[in-house]
Amino acid sequence: MPKDIEQLYARRMKRYTTAMRNEKPDMIPIRPFVAEFTAVYAGFNCQQVTHDYNMAFEAAIKCAKDFDWDAVVANMVYVWTGLTEQQGTKYYAVPGIDLDADTGFQYREPPEDEAFMKPDEYDSLCEDPTGFLYNVWLPRVSGDVVAPGEPNTFRNNVAMLKGGIAMLNYFNAFGPQIERLTNECGTVSAIAGILKAPLDILADKLRGYVGLCHDLLERPDKVIAACEALMPHLTHVALSGADPDKNVPIAIWMHRGCVPFISHEHFKSIYWATLKPVIQEINSHGHQV
């Protein structure tokens, strides 16, 4: 790494982490959320950066070089639909396939009566979250994966194989991308790891927002039990991808589990009550959210 780039990176890292720790940096760090802007600036459309992560990586590098940003996410679009398409995932609308090529990818939530988890399945989720997701949820969200007990298909076998290969390819590509941000741009990779609140998992991926709203009123004890069952798994996911040097924070995606999507009371008694212990456990390992 050239000396000037090395010094620039050190200044930016100190500035960014100082601010993230609620201390006073030498100046306010710039850490933009620019998503598809990186594509437009680099001369790509949304389809290209969403369906080819190498283009998304190049867009992030170009912006990091051209703008005086202290930190940026290694792939600002982040969702690689090449991976989700390998398993026939239903809940993404893909630019250039389901949407106009210049429109960012979208989440598609099924109708309430077609939710990926039914209202009477809370106990099954609580008893074995991993088993429920693999055996029940995955076949419902995929157009190719078949449920246990159903006749096997060639597409099922290929989807599982391609999905695993695609995930390894994508996640293993982040190391070299972060090295490029560091060595070519002097820019800090802004996050490491991922965290979502248990209630957001229920709303986003399982019951859907409308279904969850009904559940909060009709079966709140089941909702709390499900959130508690998910807590150790979400903690593990967050820590498994955390920065080993404990510099950059674990990112939290906050979606519809907060006010005004739910009431203040539900936020306090369920959302925050099952998220706070996760954050405290992460903090006990020396990591910041």
Side-chain angles (χ1 to χ4, degrees), residues 34-44 49 56 59-60 63 69 72 76-77:
V34 281
E36 284 81 6
F37 166 82
T38 60
V40 175
Y41 182 77
F44 302 127
V49 295
C63 287
W69 295 341
V72 71
M76 278 306 309
V77 179

Side-chain angles (χ1 to χ4, degrees), residues 41-118:
Y41 182 77
F44 302 127
N45 61 30
C46 292
Q47 179 184 9
Q48 289 173 306
V49 295
T50 309
H51 221 54
D52 186 339
Y53 66 78
N54 288 303
M55 290 184 176
F57 283 174
E58 289 301 326
I61 292 291
K62 180 171 178 57
C63 287
K65 286 181 177 179
D66 291 358
F67 297 103
D68 192 21
W69 295 341
D70 295 292
V72 71
V73 177
N75 179 3
M76 278 306 309
V77 179
Y78 220 82
V79 170
W80 175 39
T81 50
L83 167 57
T84 59
E85 287 293 293
Q86 300 306 316
Q87 291 189 316
T89 307
K90 299 176 182 177
Y91 57 77
Y92 285 115
V94 181
I97 299 177
D98 308 297
L99 305 166
D100 182 84
D102 289 313
T103 299
F105 77 90
Q106 303 288 313
Y107 288 95
R108 296 191 290 198
E109 191 162 287
E112 185 182 356
D113 59 350
E114 298 177 18
F116 298 133
M117 186 180 95
K118 310 306 179 186

Side-chain angles (χ1 to χ4, degrees), residues 150-267:
E150 296 294 322
N152 195 19
T153 66
F154 175 76
R155 291 191 66 88
N156 171 77
N157 294 343
V158 172
M160 300 299 286
L161 177 64
K162 292 195 301 180
I165 293 173
M167 182 170 288
L168 284 173
N169 284 344
Y170 184 40
F171 288 177
N172 285 334
F174 273 91
Q177 171 70 353
I178 292 169
E179 288 185 4
R180 289 190 64 195
L181 283 172
T182 302
N183 298 331
E184 296 179 23
C185 313
T187 304
V188 176
S189 177
I191 59 174
I194 181 174
L195 174 64
K196 287 182 72 172
L199 196 67
D200 274 334
I201 294 291
L202 289 177
D204 290 350
K205 296 296 193 293
L206 296 169
R207 291 291 292 127
Y209 173 65
V210 175
L212 178 65
C213 288
H214 285 301
D215 295 343
L216 287 170
L217 298 175
E218 297 172 3
R219 50 189 71 85
D221 291 344
K222 298 288 187 182
V223 174
I224 293 173
C227 288
E228 291 173 344
L230 291 171
M231 287 168 60
H233 298 274
L234 298 176
T235 304
H236 172 75
V237 169
L239 290 173
S240 66
D243 178 8
D245 295 325
K246 301 180 180 180
N247 287 321
V248 300
I250 296 171
I252 179 168
W253 271 252
M254 301 179 70
H255 289 175
R256 297 173 297 184
C258 54
V259 178
F261 294 105
I262 61 174
S263 70
H264 284 276
E265 177 56 34
H266 285 142
F267 178 87

